[in-house]
Amino acid sequence: MKKIPLLLITSIYLLGSVKAQESKEEKSAPAHKMNIVKLNLTGLPLKNYGFQYERVLNRKISVALGVRTMPNGLLPMQSAITDAIGDNPDAVDQVKNFNLGNTAITPEVRLYLSRRGYGHGFYLAPFYRNVTFKGSGLKFTYQNSLLTNNTMSMSGKLTGNTVGLLIGSQFSLGKFVALDIWFIGPHYGSANGDFSGTASQPLTQTEQDNLRKEIEDFDIPLTNKTITVNSSGANVKLDGPFGGIRTGITIGVRF
């Protein structure tokens, strides 16, 4: 009978020693920094300013919200685009006169696959993206009954909604700095747009017909166009599939 109390006392002592050791290890272990604010470095040369906030929930899972904006202006890398177009003066003129800006919001959920976790290592991240492109200076040249050329400038916006999967890896550069590499993130969905232009003076029927033909000949692959032309001007509604690929390098601060 005396062995039972002795065994119980010994077990309690050992259990207490284990708990004390665990508590000591927890206190001595560095605390995980659960917040990361990041800047997308690869978008800067294209005047695309992208930021992301990531909140680590546990060892394996985090959530993130990305925001991207490009102020309205001439197309980035305009000379490279015009060189690629080659001997097509109408297309070159469109590129030189077109102004573009965009904003995008991208929420995602990250699943970290490495043992370390807590916002470190290789991850898979399903995401949703809402993006809006605003464009102006899209010019169409048409003739009147006297074979004189006139030009109409159109402006509007295109909105896309896509879902995708990002594959990447995140590292620590010291105690407070994070480097996040987006290897590849294909995404796909749909988009719709609305562009319009107003005539400086009422259009004749001949001018309306010629303007409609110019807009119809402006080819946008895999996109449906609904064209409305009247004496006041023209309107073009677009809808069709939409997608892209996310890649990039971001650098951030852990806290």
Side-chain angles (χ1 to χ4, degrees):
M1 294 295 291
K2 291 183 180 181
K3 291 182 179 181
I4 296 178
L6 182 59
L7 181 60
L8 182 59
I9 291 171
T10 303
S11 300
I12 293 173
Y13 174 78
L14 293 175
L15 182 59
S17 299
V18 171
K19 290 293 183 182
Q21 181 65 27
E22 289 177 352
S23 298
K24 185 178 179 181
E25 290 177 355
E26 288 176 359
K27 289 179 180 179
S28 63
H32 296 290
K33 294 176 173 55
M34 310 296 272
N35 304 281
I36 313 172
V37 176
K38 291 171 273 187
L39 169 67
N40 189 341
L41 301 178
T42 48
L44 296 179
L46 301 177
K47 298 181 180 179
N48 258 315
Y49 306 108
F51 305 90
Q52 186 184 65
Y53 168 68
E54 180 179 358
R55 171 65 180 179
V56 178
L57 301 180
N58 53 43
R59 183 186 297 275
K60 293 296 184 181
I61 299 174
S62 73
V63 293
L65 178 65
V67 178
R68 186 193 73 197
T69 182
M70 185 179 80
N72 192 64
L74 295 175
L75 290 175
M77 302 176 65
Q78 187 181 100
S79 59
I81 297 173
T82 54
D83 289 343
I85 291 174
D87 297 329
N88 188 335
D90 291 336
V92 170
D93 189 58
Q94 289 282 23
V95 170
K96 288 184 176 180
N97 290 285
F98 191 60
N99 282 260
L100 181 68
N102 73 76
T103 58
I105 298 175
T106 310
E108 65 185 57
V109 178
R110 293 188 170 194
L111 175 63
Y112 284 91
L113 304 181
S114 68
R115 290 185 60 186
R116 183 180 181 187
Y118 290 104
H120 296 85
F122 185 79
Y123 62 82
L124 301 176
F127 66 90
Y128 161 77
R129 168 167 285 183
N130 173 268
V131 60
T132 298
F133 295 92
K134 292 185 178 180
S136 61
L138 189 63
K139 297 184 181 296
F140 292 94
T141 301
Y142 58 95
Q143 290 184 332
N144 59 21
S145 57
L146 300 177
L147 302 182
T148 301
N149 289 336
N150 293 316
T151 300
M152 175 175 288
S153 180
M154 303 187 74
S155 61
K157 67 178 182 178
L158 178 78
T159 301
N161 293 281
T162 60
V163 294
L165 179 68
L166 176 65
I167 301 172
S169 188
Q170 187 159 254
F171 310 89
S172 286
L173 300 178
K175 190 173 182 180
F176 298 101
V177 180
L179 180 68
D180 188 7
I181 301 177
W182 303 345
F183 296 132
I184 188 169
H187 55 106
Y188 184 79
S190 63
N192 59 79
D194 193 327
F195 289 80
S196 61
T198 303
S200 58
Q201 59 184 24
L203 302 176
T204 66
Q205 188 59 53
T206 298
E207 291 171 329
Q208 292 178 44
D209 294 341
N210 289 337
L211 178 58
R212 178 185 293 275
K213 184 177 185 306
E214 287 296 317
I215 297 174
E216 288 175 346
D217 290 343
F218 188 74
D219 185 40
I220 306 176
L222 304 176
T223 301
N224 299 316
K225 293 186 292 187
T226 303
I227 303 170
T228 302
V229 181
N230 54 38
S231 61
S232 299
N235 175 264
V236 181
K237 296 187 184 301
L238 308 171
D239 69 87
F242 182 77
I245 296 178
R246 286 176 69 191
T247 59
I249 298 174
T250 73
I251 192 164
V253 178
R254 294 180 182 270
F255 60 97

